[in-house]
Amino acid sequence: MADKFDVIVIGAGPGGYVAAIRAAQMGLKTACVEKWVNKQGKTVHGGTCLNVGCIPSKALLETSHKFIDARDHFGEIGLEVGDITPNVPKMLEFKESVIAKNTGGISALFKANGVTALEGTGKVLSNSKVEVTGKEGDKETYEADNIVIASGSVPVEIPPTPLTEGLIVDSAGALEFTEAPKRLGVIGAGVIGLELGSVWSRLGSEVTVLEAMDSFLPMVDQAVAKETQKLLGKQGLDIKLGARVTGSEVKDNEVVVKYTDSKGEQEQTFDKVIVCVGRRPYTQGVLSDDAGVKLDERGFIFVDDQCRTSVPGVYAIGDCVRGPMLAHKASEEGVMVADIIAGHKAEMNYDAIPSVIYTSPEVAWVGMTEQQAKAEGIEVKTGSFPFSANGRALANNAPDGMAKVIADAETDRILGIHIVSQHAGELIAQGVIAMEFGSSAEDLALTCYAHPTTSEAIHEAALAVDGHAIHMANRKKRK
């Protein structure tokens, strides 16, 4: 038996590494197990998010956005540039440098906080033990008073489009294209599909997005979703709703995708296809048969509101448990669990978790949609404000989009905020804070916002809830 720890965390993604650091800060002897190996054969931390997800995709999104801005929009604001072309291999080098800085930063934080990094694949055994299998197959068993499972998730594969090296890829493979494919098919119009489709569309690909559902972004307020679909369409993304993929065939280095829609059976030929139909919990091999930890029918680890599993002293957080598969949700669960293990009272407000789609413009939201509230029988009042009426947005040459505030008609408490705009992912934080503190629409309306800022659009939307917007004509009678 190797060393005993107060806490062993399995997985060093956004949930696991945060849980480990927090536990160590609480004075607990902590270890974190990670099996991810980079292209150089070195074990690295950060999980999917830092290695093939959130961070590298944002590097490509930002560089591709800057390219379009320089090529198409600099002239509008008086900046004359010559011919500008994307250098995809150089972009990939930049992406890799961003990954290295972030993953290296976590390793440094482990050392600074006294977290023991264990390299290999972790498995929960019975009686508070964790088995770690190294890269060479060697096994070591550790004992811990508490275990935190943060094993994450992996992309869902579908039978009609089996992954094929370099031609049909998942979200990770889509970050490795060395040039923009002429014809790119994206299966799934969710967050990941729209982001990756946007990257390669900006770099020259003809992008077709096939979405099986008949509605676009159903988790977003439909006024904002409709505006987003219109803006992405203008940018060249051909989004086909109600298009259910039924099969594919690879021939002559091309992919023929078959699908059905309202017109019947269809097919389209692509040079590359990205499959982005969601993710599933990675729990296979994480638990021994006698570990006692229960899974639900979809493979998620069953936990209570504070991420306790069915076994005392064993917790699970992040993508492998219920709730949205978001890095920041996993991180906050990691903090909560570490604090509970350390003997503190802690909980998480699952009603105030923001979501962001990093297209251009970005889409961000927190809380309920107007449609969800009405479906639950809640009478609502709403206020919207276009960024085309916001001074800073006009000065930024970024007038597209809108902000919407949804409030309870009886109590005025904010139920949700939805934004499509430049930097919506930054703006949504004020909505999260407002909801965390139980703010009313009037609270935001009475707050003094800096001018000129794009955040004033949220201020105006809050004012518009009661027909008091200043910088647009109100449709409602003022009170």
Side-chain angles (χ1 to χ4, degrees):
M1 180 71 67
D3 290 347
K4 179 179 179 180
F5 293 90
D6 296 320
V7 182
I8 294 180
V9 181
I10 298 177
Y17 83 73
V18 169
I21 290 172
R22 181 71 161 203
Q25 290 173 346
M26 294 289 108
L28 301 170
K29 184 180 179 182
T30 305
C32 187
V33 187
E34 180 52 64
K35 69 171 187 175
W36 198 292
V37 177
N38 65 11
K39 296 173 183 177
Q40 291 74 42
K42 178 183 176 183
T43 300
V44 290
H45 303 114
T48 294
C49 179
L50 267 65
N51 288 282
V52 294
C54 320
I55 299 301
S57 65
K58 301 312 165 288
L60 294 184
L61 279 158
E62 186 65 20
T63 50
S64 64
H65 172 65
K66 281 182 165 61
F67 163 63
I68 289 297
D69 225 13
R71 188 192 68 182
D72 298 344
H73 303 300
F74 275 12
E76 298 170 359
I77 59 175
L79 298 175
E80 300 297 336
V81 296
D83 290 338
I84 179 169
T85 56
N87 183 333
V88 175
K90 188 71 174 178
M91 289 173 59
L92 296 182
E93 287 180 18
F94 170 68
K95 178 201 70 171
E96 292 299 323
S97 71
V98 172
I99 293 171
K101 289 173 184 175
N102 279 274
T103 56
I106 294 173
S107 299
L109 288 171
F110 274 6
K111 291 180 181 178
N113 287 280
V115 176
T116 300
L118 301 176
E119 298 183 3
T121 301
K123 177 187 284 188
V124 179
L125 308 179
S126 61
N127 300 319
S128 301
K129 293 181 177 60
V130 173
E131 179 184 83
V132 178
T133 303
K135 288 182 286 187
E136 304 302 323
D138 52 304
K139 296 181 184 295
E140 192 76 67
T141 301
Y142 300 85
E143 189 174 353
D145 292 329
N146 300 276
I147 298 169
V148 181
I149 304 169
S151 51
S153 63
V154 292
V156 170
E157 298 181 30
I158 55 175
T161 52
L163 300 187
T164 305
E165 182 74 28
L167 290 173
I168 303 176
V169 302
D170 59 15
S171 55
L175 299 174
E176 299 295 333
F177 294 158
T178 55
E179 62 180 3
K182 178 172 173 43
R183 300 162 299 176
L184 175 64
V186 178
I187 301 176
V191 175
I192 299 173
L194 293 176
E195 289 184 358
L196 293 174
S198 293
V199 167
W200 296 110
S201 173
R202 293 174 199 155
L203 298 177
S205 297
E206 298 171 5
V207 177
T208 300
V209 183
L210 302 175
E211 170 56 52
M213 297 183 66
D214 293 320
S215 58
F216 181 71
L217 296 180
M219 64 287 202
V220 181
D221 189 90
Q222 285 307 287
V224 171
K226 183 178 180 181
E227 178 72 6
T228 302
Q229 186 176 7
K230 181 185 73 174
L231 292 171
L232 293 179
K234 284 183 177 179
Q235 295 173 15
L237 265 67
D238 182 10
I239 301 171
K240 298 182 184 295
L241 301 178
R244 185 177 297 276
V245 175
T246 57
S248 63
E249 182 182 0
V250 175
K251 55 182 181 181
D252 299 327
N253 219 32
E254 296 178 332
V255 183
V256 179
V257 175
K258 299 178 181 179
Y259 64 94
T260 60
D261 60 14
S262 59
K263 298 178 182 177
E265 296 184 358
Q266 312 285 345
E267 68 175 45
Q268 194 163 343
T269 302
F270 302 104
D271 298 295
K272 307 275 188 185
V273 171
I274 308 173
V275 181
C276 299
V277 293
R279 300 180 65 85
R280 60 178 177 82
Y282 183 78
T283 50
Q284 185 177 3
V286 176
L287 304 166
S288 67
D289 293 338
D290 60 351
V293 176
K294 295 180 180 178
L295 304 178
D296 69 14
E297 66 279 0
R298 296 179 296 165
F300 289 94
I301 297 173
F302 177 79
V303 294
D304 65 10
D305 290 343
Q306 294 179 307
C307 293
R308 297 180 181 89
T309 71
S310 50
V311 176
V314 179
Y315 301 79
I317 62 175
D319 286 6
C320 65
V321 304
R322 79 288 178 270
M325 289 184 170
L326 298 170
H328 44 280
K329 174 257 196 184
S331 295
E332 291 308 310
E333 286 179 331
V335 170
M336 174 179 69
V337 165
D339 285 355
I340 290 172
I341 292 172
H344 300 286
K345 292 183 178 179
E347 63 180 8
M348 182 171 170
N349 183 1
Y350 286 93
D351 292 329
I353 299 175
S355 296
V356 185
I357 306 175
Y358 295 91
T359 48
S360 181
E362 294 176 352
V363 187
W365 67 96
V366 62
M368 305 176 77
T369 67
E370 181 179 353
Q371 294 75 32
Q372 289 171 334
K374 288 181 176 178
E376 293 187 16
I378 303 172
E379 186 179 350
V380 300
K381 52 183 180 177
T382 67
S384 299
F385 190 81
F387 280 84
S388 59
N390 175 268
R392 181 59 189 273
L394 292 173
N396 289 354
N397 198 32
D400 291 332
M402 60 179 288
K404 182 173 180 178
V405 174
I406 301 146
D408 188 301
E410 182 179 355
T411 66
D412 198 41
R413 174 168 285 194
I414 295 171
L415 301 176
I417 294 181
H418 295 248
I419 309 167
V420 52
S421 75
Q422 180 191 54
H423 304 316
E426 310 294 338
L427 296 176
I428 199 62
Q430 62 186 289
V432 177
I433 293 170
M435 290 188 63
E436 183 66 31
F437 284 90
S439 298
S440 64
E442 184 183 40
D443 288 329
L444 283 185
L446 293 174
T447 299
C448 181
Y449 280 67
H451 175 78
T453 61
T454 54
S455 65
E456 290 176 285
I458 288 83
H459 187 214
E460 291 279 355
L463 284 162
V465 167
D466 286 319
H468 294 159
I470 302 298
H471 293 94
M472 73 172 186
N474 290 279
R475 295 183 179 180
K476 299 177 181 178
K477 184 178 180 181
R478 295 195 307 168
K479 297 180 180 180

